[in-house]
Each structure stands twice: as C-alpha cells, then as structure tokens.
Amino acid sequence: MKIYTKKVAAESVEELQKLLGAFDENLNLIMRELGVVVHVDGVNLLIQGAAENVNRTASVIGGLLSLARSGEVVDKDRVAYCIELSEEDKAEEITKLSSDTIAVTSRGKPIKCKTVGQKNYVEAIKNKDVVFGIGPAGTGKTYLAVCLAVQAIKQKRVDKIILTRPAVEAGEKLGFLPGDLQTKVDPYLRPLYDALQEMLGLETYTKYLERGNIEIAPLAYMRGRTLSQAFVILDEAQNATREQMKMFLTRLGQGSKMVITGDVTQVDLPEGKQCGLEHAAAVLHDVDGVQVVNLTEKDVVRNPLVMRIVRAYEKDEKRRLSGADKTE
C-alpha cells in the first residue's frame, strides 16, 4: 500500500495544544479511529497513511483547529463527533459550534449546542413560527426548546410559556393511577418541570407558575383555546393522533411560537391510530413559516452508549422492514 503524507498547520502553539489535548489524548483518538500516523513538527502536523484516510484526517484536524481558534474547548467528545461528521465528508461543519451561548442556567452554566443538528434546530426555532424537532432520545429536543422558551419570556418577547404532552405513555393506562387528571399526568410532565427549574431556579419558576406565566398541561386542555403571545412546546408528540395534532397546530395565535418534539420510533398510540407527528411533518414540511428538523443518532449527547443503542435499534428496524428476518 502506498503511503501518502499531508501537512496541516496550526496558527499558534496554543491552538495546537488545544487540538492535541492532555497527554495527546485527542491526537491519539484521531490516529486510532482514522488509521493514520500523525507527527508533530513545530506547529505543523504531518499525516501519513492511505490516501482516503489521510484526506479525511486532514479535514478533521482542520475543522478542530478552526474550532480551537474561535476559543472553543476541543475535548474528546468534540473530536469523536468531528470524526463522525467526516464519515459524510462534513468535518468542516464542526465550526458551526463556535457560536454564542444560547442560554444560561440559574446557576450560571452556559448552554451551547453540542452538535450541528442541534445548531440547525436552534436556528430554526429562532427564525420560524412552527418547528418540528424529530429525533431519538438524548438529542436535546425538549431541553433546547425549553431553554429558548425561557430566553423568550425573560426578554419579554412572549408573555407565557405553555408546555404540553399527550396523556399517553408506553402503554400505561392513566385510569389506574390515583388522583385527578392533573395529578395523573404530572409524572409524565416531570422532564418539563425539571428543565424549567434548572433554567429559572426554583424560586423564579414558582413565581412564574403562580402568576400564570408558565402553564403545564396535558394536550387535551388545549382544545378550544387560542394561544397568543406564547412560546408553546408540545413534547412526546409521536403520541398525538392526526386529529389532536391538527387541533393543537390551529391554536397558534398572534405573537406565538410553537415547537413540536418527538421520536417517531417510540409511538405508543393504540393500534389503528396514525401518528400525528409523522403526518404533520409530511404535510407541512414546505409550508412557509414551518420547518422540520430531523435529528439523528449523531446528535445524541447523552452517554455514548445511548448512540450505540439507537443505532442497534435502527439496524434492527431496517432488517425487519426489508423482510430479512422472515422465515420460510
């Protein structure tokens, strides 16, 4: 096999050190995953290996150096993500993550997009009135929407945050749970409560709730209303029927924004009921003012094992659909 060599230069020693990581852990990850050898010569990196691997490594290193140049941290997660992007020849898109903080939690922790898909999702929410965020668990669909909702109410761009979910979950029957309907659905809305409290702090969250600036309710409570000057989030929308989704979307009032999130691979609707999320995304994808953002396993920001689990399920689903697991 012919060995090719390519040089990529950093602009400074500081930039190079950010790329290499502590004890060269970033560089070692790049070499191991891409099957190349990289020598450091001053501020230059000499990449050696098969032509395809060398070119792919050069694009990864170039993207990461640009990220470091913008002042961003280059850690192992970022390196691994950039390598993922390079599979589709998109390593340079890592530079999209050098943007400003989108929100700050009540404890001062900055919230930034961790993937290009998340960045596209956030930009869509900022620029469109209705956004569908569709993707697997762990991609930050709901959390980022709540962050932007809190920013909107703090900046007085809306008067109210409304968070809602269909009262259908993983085959559970609400009727068997104790209490009234609100008490029954509270456990299903808990992720929304948690995200709001993290962003606002318990005291401010409680104050907003008492004043009616925050409303958390099951989807059924939306019928017959017009939601004006509000940031409205419909979570777990894969469990809304076609009829419920149409009802919800037509509640949009003046000065409002809607974000609809869900994972179409985890539908818990009764047999015979069509998923309203899939239907709405297909029907409305080219309507002016609406944007559909599809997040993938590459956008999973939980434990890396979650990404591998998602991929395994997707692989199994493709096999079943193709009939590969059918027996004679």
Side-chain angles (χ1 to χ4, degrees), residues 21 25 28 95 106 113 131 135 138 168 174 178 181 199 243 307 312 321:
E25 64 176 1
N28 290 333
T95 56
S106 61
C113 296
V131 175
V168 177
L174 292 177
L181 181 58
M199 294 304 302
E243 296 78 14
M307 184 186 297
L321 291 175

Side-chain angles (χ1 to χ4, degrees), residues 200-212:
L200 291 168
L202 181 58
E203 185 178 340
T204 303
Y205 165 76
T206 303
K207 181 175 68 176
Y208 277 23
L209 203 59
E210 290 172 349
R211 290 179 178 176

Side-chain angles (χ1 to χ4, degrees), residues 193-245:
Y193 292 129
D194 292 344
L196 277 172
Q197 288 180 24
E198 182 180 355
M199 294 304 302
L200 291 168
L202 181 58
E203 185 178 340
T204 303
Y205 165 76
T206 303
K207 181 175 68 176
Y208 277 23
L209 203 59
E210 290 172 349
R211 290 179 178 176
N213 297 119
I214 293 176
E215 180 181 343
I216 305 176
L219 181 58
Y221 285 22
M222 298 298 109
R223 189 173 298 277
R225 300 179 58 184
T226 300
L227 308 175
S228 301
Q229 295 298 318
F231 195 117
V232 192
I233 301 172
L234 171 58
D235 191 32
E236 298 290 346
Q238 75 274 5
N239 289 328
T241 64
R242 283 178 54 173
E243 296 78 14
Q244 287 175 321
M245 184 63 72

Side-chain angles (χ1 to χ4, degrees), residues 103-144:
V104 178
T105 69
S106 61
R107 296 187 177 185
K109 177 187 173 183
I111 304 299
K112 296 185 178 184
C113 296
K114 295 183 178 180
T115 71
V116 174
Q118 287 189 346
K119 174 67 174 176
N120 294 337
Y121 177 54
V122 166
E123 290 300 313
I125 294 173
K126 288 180 177 179
N127 297 320
K128 302 291 183 178
D129 290 334
V130 176
V131 175
F132 291 86
I134 302 173
T139 50
K141 306 180 298 293
T142 303
Y143 186 76
L144 290 172

Side-chain angles (χ1 to χ4, degrees), residues 265-308:
T265 69
Q266 297 192 43
V267 177
D268 298 312
L269 288 169
E271 189 174 348
K273 288 286 187 179
Q274 184 180 4
C275 172
L277 177 60
E278 280 188 294
H279 178 259
V283 170
L284 304 175
H285 73 278
D286 57 356
V287 172
D288 188 33
V290 176
Q291 186 166 340
V292 178
V293 179
N294 289 292
L295 300 165
T296 71
E297 78 279 354
K298 286 186 172 65
D299 299 300
V300 172
V301 293
R302 292 179 183 169
N303 187 308
L305 179 57
V306 175
M307 184 186 297
R308 296 196 291 273

Side-chain angles (χ1 to χ4, degrees), residues 1-8 30 34-38 45-62 86:
M1 181 183 71
K2 185 175 180 180
I3 301 297
Y4 289 82
T5 301
K6 195 167 190 175
K7 181 174 77 173
V8 179
I30 291 170
L34 296 175
V36 296
V37 175
V38 182
L45 295 112
L46 302 177
I47 309 164
Q48 294 181 327
E52 182 179 350
N53 294 351
V54 166
N55 289 330
R56 188 176 164 193
T57 303
S59 67
V60 167
I61 289 176
S86 71

